[in-house]
Each structure stands twice: as C-alpha cells, then as structure tokens.
Amino acid sequence: MNKLFFRLLVVLMSLSLIGIILVQVYWFNTSFKNNDEQFKFHVKSVIGNVAEKLQKQEEYTYYEKFNRYKDSTGKIPKKNDLLEFYYVHKNHKNNTTVVYTNSISSQDFNMSSSFFDKKSDGVIFKSYNSKRVTEVYDNNRFDNSKVHSNLSPNLKIEKSGDLSALDNVAYEINYKEIASVMPLQERVSKEMIQKLLKKELEEYGVNTKFEFGVFSSSLATKIKSSGFVFNANNTYSIPIFSDNEGNNKYQLLVSFPNKKKFLLTDLIGITLLSIIFTLIIIIAYSSALNQLIRQRHISEIKSDFINNMTHEFKTPIATINLALDAIKNPKIIGNEEMVLKYIQMIKDENKRMHAQVENVLRISKLEKKELDISKETVNIQEVIEDAIEHVNLILEDRQGSISKHFKADRTNVLLNEVHFINVIVNILENAIKYSPNIPKIDIFTENIKEYLIIKIKDNGIGMSKMAQKRVFEKFYREHTGDLHDVKGHGLGLAYVKKIIEDHNGQIYVESEKGKGSTFIIKIPLIN
Ligand code: ADP
C-alpha cells in the first residue's frame, strides 16, 4: 500500500472517530440541557401551584370561620342599597319593551376583635346581594302610561342571590390585610408545605429528594426542612402570600440536592450504550491499525533479515569458493597438508552456515509448536554451570569473567535441559557480545516464594527503555552505535522468551543505557 495513501486513510479514520465522539458529547450535552429545561418547567409549575394552594388554603380557613360566625350570630345585618342598575330595551318587531333591573345591596357584619387575632381591632365584613328583575311590557301600554310604576308587566322574572364574586374580592382584601400582620408560623406549617410539594412533585413525575425553606427578605425563617441548603444551581423560588398591594414578604425556595443525578438517570441507559458502541469502534479501529502497522513493520524486518542472511551467506560461500579454487591449483593439490587445511576451512564455513540455518529453523519450528519439549526434574544450578562451560572459550577470548552468587536453597525445577542450556547460553553470549569493555558477568540465584529467580547481570552497553520493551520480539535489534561488528538476527531473545514461557516462567530485563543490563528469569519450583 502506498505510504501516503495509508497515512491519509489513518488521518481520515481518526478524524471521523473524533467526529463521532464529538457528536456524541454534543448530543449528550443538549439532551442534558433539555432535561434541565424540562425539569425547571415542571418545578416552576409545581411551586406555582403550591403557592396558589397555600394562599387558597389560608383564605379558606378564614372564610370557613367567617361563614360560621355569620350563621351563628343571629344578628340581622344592616342592609344598604348600594347600586341600582336599569336597562330598557324597546323591540319594535314584536312590539314589546323589556325593563331589566339589578339592585345590589350589601350586608355589614361586624366581627369582634377575637375573631382573627388579639392584636387587631374589630373588622367590618361586607356580604353582597343582588336582586335581578326582568319585566316585559306591551309597547302600546308602556308608551301610553304616564306612571310606569302602576303598570303591571306582561311577564316578570325575578332572580336574587349572593354576589359571590364581589363577596370574594371584598373578603380577600380584608383577610389579606389581617393575615399579613400575623406571624408566619401561624399562617403555614412545615408539614403543610412538605405535603403540598410532595403531592404536586409526584404528579409531575419529579421523583427526587427535595428540601425547602421560606425566606423573608432574603433571611431564612423557621419554616424549612432540616436539610435545606441554598445552591443557585438546584434551587427554585416563588413569592408566596402576596398582600393587597401585590408585595411579597415571603419567598418559598425549593431545592433538589440530587437534581444532577435525577437528570442523568434519564440519560444513563442510552449514554452507556453509546459509550459501549464507541468503545467497540475505538478498540476495533486501533487493533486494526495496530495490526496494519505491525504487518508493515514485519515486512520491513523480513526484508532486512533476508538481506542480512544473504550477506552472511555470501562470505562463507565466497570463502568456500576460494578454498575450492585453491585446492584445484596443481601446486596445492599435491600438498596434502595444504589440502587438509583448505578442507578444514570449507568445513568451518559450512558449519557456520549450518548454525545460521539451524538458528532460523529452530525459531520457526518453535512458532509452529513442532519442537518437542520434554521436561524432567533438574537442578537448575547444574544447568547454569553447563551453560557457563559453553561460553567459557569466547569469554576467555575477551578476558572476561563470570561470578556466581548462588543463594537459592531449593533448586529443583521441571525443565528441558537442552533448551534451558540454550537459553542461558543465549543470554550469556549477548552479555559478552554487547559489552565493549572486558565483560564482567554476575549470576545470582534465589528463592522467592514458590519460584526460583535467576539474575544475569552484565556491565555492557545497556539499552533504552523502548528496547527493553521490545528485545523479546522476533527480529528486533537495537542500533548498537559503536559496536558495528556485533552480528545477530534478533532471534535469540525471542527464542529465550518462548522457551521460558513454555516452562511457565517469566523473563524481563532491567537496564540503563551505558550501565549494563540484568536479565531476570522467574521459574516455578517443584515441591
Ligand atoms: P541479536 O543479539 O541476534 O541481535 P537477540 O534477540 O539476542 O538478537 O537480542 C535482541 C537485541 O537486544 C540485540 O540486538 C541488542 O540490541 C539487545 N540486547 C540483548 N542483550 C543485550 C545486552 N546484554 N546488553 C545490551 N543489549 C542487549
């Protein structure tokens, strides 16, 4: 795939993924805001209703008292005519005149001072009555008659009754005057507000905890629930008990401590679903991307590896070629000693190539799980000794040394001796290979719980954090800078890790650039 196209694809996919996430965040935000608005609307209606009911209830209690008083006094109220209203309509079509009269009279009730409150004086209450009369006359008779009062109508309809609307207005004005001077505790109780709010909120489906308080000129009164705390974000207010002039001394404040939670529970299901789907997309996308990058990386590494191998085969092949040419030379072919020398040379080069091929084959066999790894109980310290024997020659060549610090008491482990020797040899060879100065290697063993720990420490070039994470990957090789002649294929540690894992063990490396590395192997003991 074209590199540029690949990058473009990655950028586009990442952008659309970010876009999807942003859209989700936007959707969530607007839904939350909408819910908040709806909540506000519901709560405003609720507290509006509660304020109205409080006023009505107070009014009603007074009204009840007043009516009882009116009925029980037995006093004949003073009657006053207040207003007389006439309306005359002449209808020529059916030759009639309609006279409509409405006379409004009022009755005064003098209330004793004890009725409302000891502090106020007696109050006069008015009750209004209306008498409505409709009379229909013959036009001829009506026009001819001089004195209408003597005339008897053709039809007369009389209606009378309380003028409750007027009564109410007059009553409301009076009661408000009186109630406004009463202490708040006598006008309303905590329980009453609690009950009203609860009922109304339930009706509107606002099923979350609420607290309330009545405030007078921004100061809290005693009428409030125990947990009330003012918080501008979740508190709503409404004036209550307005007086005749429309002034409000009191405010009812209602707060919802769990408002956010309540609003969120509505969205939680769908939000969770969208988060899950987005996560699935992110995971799928990143693993696909990861896979793609890995594939590219592996194909790069493979071509590197092939180049490397070819290069390494070239030298022995050339050497063998030269040796064969030399043997063919008539001067040499008769010289048995020289021929043997060249044959040895060919054999050595052949051996090198064989070892190379063997190395590659081993790891690929391991990949396909074709390697038969049979295990038996072995003393691991003996295995380490054997491995040290294997590297002794190259170590001597570099004048290096290995110090053993065997502290483990229990050393029996179930393992495959041949592979395990290879493992230790690989690590020791690396320790020598990647030490530019005289190699000094320390090998420690110890028991931690049910494990045997082997630490192999060198004084070599060390490695970067990045390399520490990746040295166990197939074909990974760090650029070794000044160590140009160090050869390898990046397969050794991949093999080591595979074998250790096959033994239910773990391997990791601690290292610092320039200060050497320590490879740590952890392998389970047998009881
Ligand atoms: P190879 O040695 O053939 O390159 P390995 O798998 O054995 O492959 O090692 C992988 C890489 O890990 C090496 O190329 C080297 O960069 C790094 N490495 C391994 N052992 C050491 C060590 N003891 N000190 C520093 N670097 C090391």
Side-chain angles (χ1 to χ4, degrees):
M1 204 189 312
N2 190 313
K3 221 172 188 167
L4 198 71
F5 177 66
F6 176 73
R7 281 205 184 138
L8 195 71
L9 204 70
V10 169
V11 168
L12 278 179
M13 272 164 80
S14 309
L15 279 181
S16 33
L17 197 63
I18 293 170
I20 289 175
I21 294 170
L22 286 183
V23 167
Q24 307 241 14
V25 170
Y26 174 78
W27 167 83
F28 180 81
N29 253 341
T30 30
S31 306
F32 189 80
K33 266 190 206 146
N34 282 345
N35 276 10
D36 193 27
E37 278 302 310
Q38 202 178 9
F39 183 83
K40 193 169 146 192
F41 177 73
H42 281 170
V43 169
K44 287 261 168 200
S45 314
V46 164
I47 57 178
N49 290 351
V50 169
E52 202 173 304
K53 280 191 178 159
L54 280 176
Q55 186 120 0
K56 279 268 167 315
Q57 254 177 27
E58 181 175 55
E59 196 177 327
Y60 187 71
T61 17
Y62 279 112
Y63 200 62
E64 279 281 281
K65 273 190 194 174
F66 169 61
N67 271 344
R68 254 183 279 127
Y69 178 83
K70 212 167 77 172
D71 294 343
S72 65
T73 46
K75 280 189 240 166
I76 298 181
K78 216 170 97 201
K79 232 192 171 117
N80 273 332
D81 269 350
L82 282 182
L83 184 70
E84 199 131 275
F85 172 77
Y86 279 97
Y87 174 73
V88 181
H89 177 71
K90 242 181 207 178
N91 190 338
H92 293 290
K93 275 189 190 146
N94 58 12
N95 210 17
T96 53
T97 301
V98 179
V99 178
Y100 173 80
T101 334
N102 186 358
S103 45
I104 296 173
S105 62
S106 75
Q107 294 175 310
D108 285 353
F109 291 89
N110 213 341
M111 307 302 243
S112 74
S113 60
S114 65
F115 178 73
F116 284 113
D117 183 55
K118 41 206 174 295
K119 279 173 255 164
S120 59
D121 296 330
V123 182
I124 292 174
F125 265 84
K126 282 185 191 300
S127 177
Y128 296 90
N129 257 294
S130 127
K131 191 174 171 209
R132 301 183 292 282
V133 183
T134 314
E135 293 167 325
V136 182
Y137 297 91
D138 225 0
N139 266 355
N140 302 341
R141 281 175 60 209
F142 194 78
D143 292 342
N144 297 338
S145 168
K146 295 254 160 29
V147 191
H148 288 145
S149 55
N150 293 340
L151 209 64
S152 60
N154 297 13
L155 183 69
K156 183 172 178 174
I157 305 163
E158 271 189 70
K159 283 183 188 164
S160 70
D162 285 347
L163 250 189
S164 49
L166 259 182
D167 257 8
N168 280 349
V169 172
Y171 177 74
E172 202 177 313
I173 290 172
N174 273 313
Y175 113 79
K176 274 190 180 171
E177 262 340 60
I178 298 153
S180 69
V181 295
M182 305 262 290
L184 181 69
Q185 286 96 309
E186 283 176 34
R187 301 180 71 176
V188 67
S189 71
K190 208 160 86 175
E191 291 71 28
M192 192 160 120
I193 299 185
Q194 170 87 28
K195 214 174 90 189
L196 279 174
L197 275 173
K198 191 163 181 268
K199 189 166 157 270
E200 286 285 329
L201 285 171
E202 262 169 23
E203 257 170 45
Y204 277 86
V206 184
N207 298 318
T208 179
K209 194 180 150 202
F210 66 91
E211 302 284 351
F212 63 89
V214 177
F215 278 62
S216 165
S217 329
S218 307
L219 291 174
T221 64
K222 280 185 184 149
I223 308 285
K224 63 171 187 176
S225 59
S226 49
F228 181 82
V229 185
F230 180 80
N231 173 349
N233 278 334
N234 61 23
T235 307
Y236 303 85
S237 73
I238 190 146
I240 50 169
F241 297 136
S242 58
D243 65 15
N244 284 325
E245 285 74 41
N247 298 326
N248 310 296
K249 206 163 134 194
Y250 299 109
Q251 293 267 345
L252 171 65
L253 269 63
V254 184
S255 76
F256 300 88
N258 302 333
K259 176 183 149 187
K260 215 170 202 164
K261 208 169 122 201
F262 175 71
L263 293 180
L264 281 177
T265 43
D266 246 17
L267 294 174
I268 212 93
I270 195 93
T271 309
L272 266 183
L273 270 184
S274 83
I275 288 176
I276 289 171
F277 288 139
T278 317
L279 274 183
I280 291 175
I281 292 177
I282 290 176
I283 291 168
Y285 168 71
S286 51
S287 56
L289 196 68
N290 203 6
Q291 201 64 25
L292 226 81
I293 291 171
R294 270 182 95 89
Q295 291 289 323
R296 284 176 66 87
H297 189 67
I298 285 175
S299 83
E300 268 167 28
I301 280 174
K302 271 188 180 157
S303 64
D304 270 7
F305 173 71
I306 289 167
N307 286 344
N308 237 335
M309 288 291 276
T310 338
H311 180 78
E312 277 185 42
F313 276 114
K314 251 175 157 173
T315 332
I317 288 168
T319 318
I320 290 169
N321 228 352
L322 280 176
L324 287 174
D325 280 347
I327 293 169
K328 268 204 302 190
N329 190 321
K331 273 189 212 156
I332 305 237
I333 201 149
N335 186 339
E336 195 179 330
E337 201 184 318
M338 285 297 268
V339 171
L340 281 178
K341 192 186 138 202
Y342 283 116
I343 286 176
Q344 186 58 42
M345 224 177 196
I346 292 169
K347 207 172 160 61
D348 282 348
E349 291 303 313
N350 199 44
K351 207 170 138 196
R352 237 177 88 187
M353 285 199 288
H354 184 243
Q356 210 76 268
V357 172
E358 203 46 34
N359 226 335
V360 180
L361 279 183
R362 210 163 47 182
I363 190 102
S364 73
K365 265 189 179 171
L366 207 62
E367 289 257 285
K368 290 187 199 145
K369 301 214 182 298
E370 280 173 9
L371 264 181
D372 170 33
I373 305 184
S374 58
K375 300 180 186 94
E376 53 200 273
T377 307
V378 181
N379 180 343
I380 199 136
Q381 278 168 192
E382 284 171 14
V383 171
I384 299 172
E385 301 270 12
D386 277 354
I388 295 172
E389 281 300 311
H390 275 79
V391 295
N392 247 343
L393 268 179
I394 40 170
L395 193 69
E396 269 170 25
D397 188 42
R398 299 277 316 275
Q399 284 125 34
S401 61
I402 293 180
S403 322
K404 291 173 280 186
H405 315 268
F406 290 169
K407 305 255 168 64
D409 299 322
R410 293 182 296 157
T411 51
N412 278 350
V413 174
L414 198 63
L415 52 76
N416 180 296
E417 211 173 330
V418 177
H419 282 294
F420 222 85
I421 291 177
N422 279 340
V423 162
I424 307 289
V425 167
N426 257 306
I427 297 173
L428 290 177
E429 270 179 0
N430 277 348
I432 300 165
K433 240 174 27 178
Y434 298 105
S435 295
N437 305 321
I438 292 172
K440 266 185 82 281
I441 301 167
D442 293 279
I443 306 180
F444 304 84
T445 65
E446 61 180 313
N447 291 127
I448 294 182
K449 288 184 187 159
E450 290 309 300
Y451 288 92
L452 187 121
I453 313 288
I454 306 166
K455 289 184 186 166
I456 301 175
K457 183 171 171 284
D458 64 48
N459 61 340
I461 53 169
M463 50 185 112
S464 62
K465 280 261 166 320
M466 160 84 170
Q468 285 172 45
K469 270 192 214 146
R470 304 193 51 193
V471 283
F472 300 105
E473 285 174 22
K474 249 191 312 173
F475 304 120
Y476 180 82
R477 301 202 72 213
E478 197 184 19
H479 288 288
T480 41
D482 27 293
L483 283 177
H484 295 295
D485 52 340
V486 175
K487 293 209 174 68
H489 301 111
L491 289 175
L493 288 180
Y495 163 78
V496 164
K497 191 175 162 82
K498 277 240 176 324
I499 296 292
I500 302 270
E501 278 172 358
D502 188 79
H503 286 77
N504 299 321
Q506 288 167 14
I507 179 163
Y508 46 98
V509 62
E510 284 171 0
S511 179
E512 203 177 318
K513 208 121 185 103
K515 295 207 173 145
S517 320
T518 308
F519 282 83
I520 300 153
I521 298 170
K522 188 175 163 193
I523 194 152
L525 288 161
I526 349 182
N527 294 322

